[in-house]
DNA sequence: AAGTAGCTCAACCGCTGAGAA
DNA sequence: TTTCTCAGCGGTTGAGCTACT
């Protein structure tokens, strides 16, 4: 089967996008949408291939992209979803509103995976330098700005200690105070249709099929996230037994991170 | 202050599946 | 049914940045 080349290499720009290109793409899509990525750059006057435009839009320019570091509960959710779905980053991203598959993939490989491995190897706290790039700082600044614009984003000064007390791997010096901590939980109800389809179709010998109602059930929304509610005083009366079990679940998961294959028993 | 090593993340590459012809 | 085109996905890369020596 013949496959069209990604793009004609001749005359097309590659590499980092300039602000002008971003502006052009943004303006074009806001006016015309993106019915045809392949034709889009030509119509928009961009010397890029459609694929590049699509990636730039999805991973950076889309207005609903959430900036800033991943919160502890977002990371916890990623850990759980990765355990359930494997490297299906788009399916995982569908459960994290405002996050892209690329971003989640990067975070998994650069943060979460290392922490889990560190825990498994050292049986304790992973070593990670307290580093913060300019880009990350800028992102955080943007996140702080957007948190003012988006009421659902709640700063959580107490999060680091509270979460780390139960889930040691999710607390680092660089990521202790994130805006948007509760957004993932609050937006979980807004499961996208695509995600639903993904989850409907997901079924394997290793994992049982997941019912749609699973994702909207209070148990799931609370799983590993309810702790935050308590700390932040956001939730009603805690159901202590389930919350304790949740804590125990995450502890076990992270303690056993070296042997992730054994985890499906929690399902 | 300079050099080096390690980290982050935006972007690219190549493959797959779906839909149209 | 076969062929072709396209969008989307996951894996990988490398430039730029920061911490460390």
């Amino acid at each position: 089967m013949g496959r069209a080349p990604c793009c004609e290499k001749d005359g097309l720009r590659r590499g980092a996008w300039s602000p002008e290109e971003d502006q052009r793409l943004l303006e074009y899509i806001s006016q015309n949408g993106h019915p045809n990525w392949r034709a889009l750059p030509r119509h928009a006057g961009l010397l890029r291939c459609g694929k590049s435009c699509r990636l730039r839009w999805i991973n950076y320019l889309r207005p609903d992209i959430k900036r800033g570091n991943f919160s502890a509960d977002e990371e916890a959710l990623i850990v759980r979803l990765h355990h359930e779905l494997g490297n299906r980053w788009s399916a995982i991203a569908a459960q994290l509103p405002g996050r892209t598959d690329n971003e989640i993939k990067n975070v998994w490989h650069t943060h979460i995976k290392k922490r889990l491995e560190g825990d498994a190897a050292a049986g304790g706290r992973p070593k990670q330098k307290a580093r913060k790039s300019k880009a990350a700082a800028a992102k955080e600044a943007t996140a702080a700005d957007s948190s003012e614009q988006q009421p659902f984003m709640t700063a959580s000064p107490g999060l680091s200690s509270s979460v780390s007390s139960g889930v040691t791997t999710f607390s680092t010096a660089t990521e202790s105070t994130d805006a948007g901590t509760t957004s993932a939980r609050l937006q979980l109800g807004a499961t996208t249709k695509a995600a639903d389809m993904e989850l409907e179709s997901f079924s394997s010998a290793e994992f049982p099929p997941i019912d749609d109602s699973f994702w909207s059930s209070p148990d799931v929304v609370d799983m590993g996230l309810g702790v935050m509610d308590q700390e932040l005083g956001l939730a009603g009366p805690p159901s202590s037994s389930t919350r304790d079990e949740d804590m125990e679940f995450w502890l076990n998961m992270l303690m056993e991170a070296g042997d992730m294959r054994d985890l499906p028993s929690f399902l």
Side-chain angles (χ1 to χ4, degrees):
Chain A
M1 171 165 64
R3 204 167 67 85
C6 159
C7 55
E8 294 82 7
K9 309 286 182 195
D10 300 327
L12 293 185
R13 277 175 56 86
R14 297 178 63 204
W17 281 64
S18 68
E20 290 75 23
E21 288 177 306
D22 281 345
Q23 184 66 24
R24 219 175 249 252
L25 180 60
L26 205 51
E27 280 178 8
Y28 181 86
I29 291 180
S30 64
Q31 287 171 13
N32 306 285
H34 47 78
N36 186 337
W37 284 113
R38 199 173 172 80
L40 187 148
R42 193 162 23 94
H43 293 146
L46 286 162
L47 292 172
R48 296 273 182 174
C49 70
K51 209 172 190 177
S52 181
C53 292
R54 178 184 154 271
L55 236 10
R56 184 63 177 171
W57 171 255
I58 287 175
N59 290 331
Y60 198 83
L61 295 176
R62 237 173 49 195
D64 57 334
I65 294 281
K66 193 200 291 181
R67 303 283 173 189
N69 287 347
F70 278 60
S71 63
D73 51 344
E74 280 178 311
E75 291 191 2
L77 190 56
I78 291 170
V79 170
R80 183 169 63 81
L81 290 171
H82 183 268
H83 173 64
E84 293 170 359
L85 303 171
N87 291 357
R88 297 170 66 206
W89 305 115
S90 61
I92 294 173
Q95 300 299 312
L96 287 151
R99 301 296 192 182
T100 67
D101 56 348
N102 206 34
E103 198 176 11
I104 291 171
K105 189 166 57 180
N106 281 336
V107 166
W108 174 264
H109 284 122
T110 60
H111 293 279
I112 303 174
K113 192 177 173 187
K114 285 179 184 175
R115 281 182 221 166
L116 293 176
E117 286 172 354
D119 260 15
R125 204 170 292 272
K127 56 274 175 186
Q128 187 181 42
K129 292 184 206 170
R131 301 176 69 249
K132 190 178 286 183
S133 66
K134 270 187 191 173
K139 266 189 164 188
E140 282 188 13
T142 312
D145 287 346
S146 57
S147 72
E148 291 175 8
Q149 297 161 2
Q150 303 178 43
F152 63 79
M153 284 195 171
T154 311
S156 54
L159 173 62
S160 176
S161 59
S162 67
V163 174
S164 65
S165 65
V167 186
T168 57
T169 50
F170 291 147
S171 176
T172 71
T174 55
E175 295 171 294
S176 57
T177 55
D178 287 315
T181 298
T182 59
S183 59
R185 176 181 59 79
L186 293 174
Q187 294 188 3
L188 272 176
T191 305
T192 64
K193 194 172 182 179
D196 288 343
M197 290 166 67
E198 284 276 356
L199 290 166
E200 267 181 14
S201 64
F202 178 75
S203 175
S204 71
E206 190 175 9
F207 300 109
I210 302 170
D211 189 84
D212 274 351
S213 60
F214 174 87
W215 295 107
S216 54
S217 79
D219 287 342
V220 171
V221 175
D222 260 357
M223 190 180 289
L225 310 177
V227 181
M228 306 251 320
D229 294 343
Q230 279 183 286
E231 281 295 317
L232 299 171
L234 296 173
S239 53
S240 58
S241 62
T242 56
R243 292 187 196 286
D244 289 344
E245 285 166 10
D246 291 342
M247 291 293 291
E248 192 177 342
F249 161 75
W250 285 111
L251 263 177
N252 288 338
M253 169 180 266
L254 292 160
M255 296 296 277
E256 296 171 19
D259 192 9
M260 297 286 283
R261 294 302 98 193
D262 290 336
L263 285 168
S265 58
F266 82 88
L267 291 170

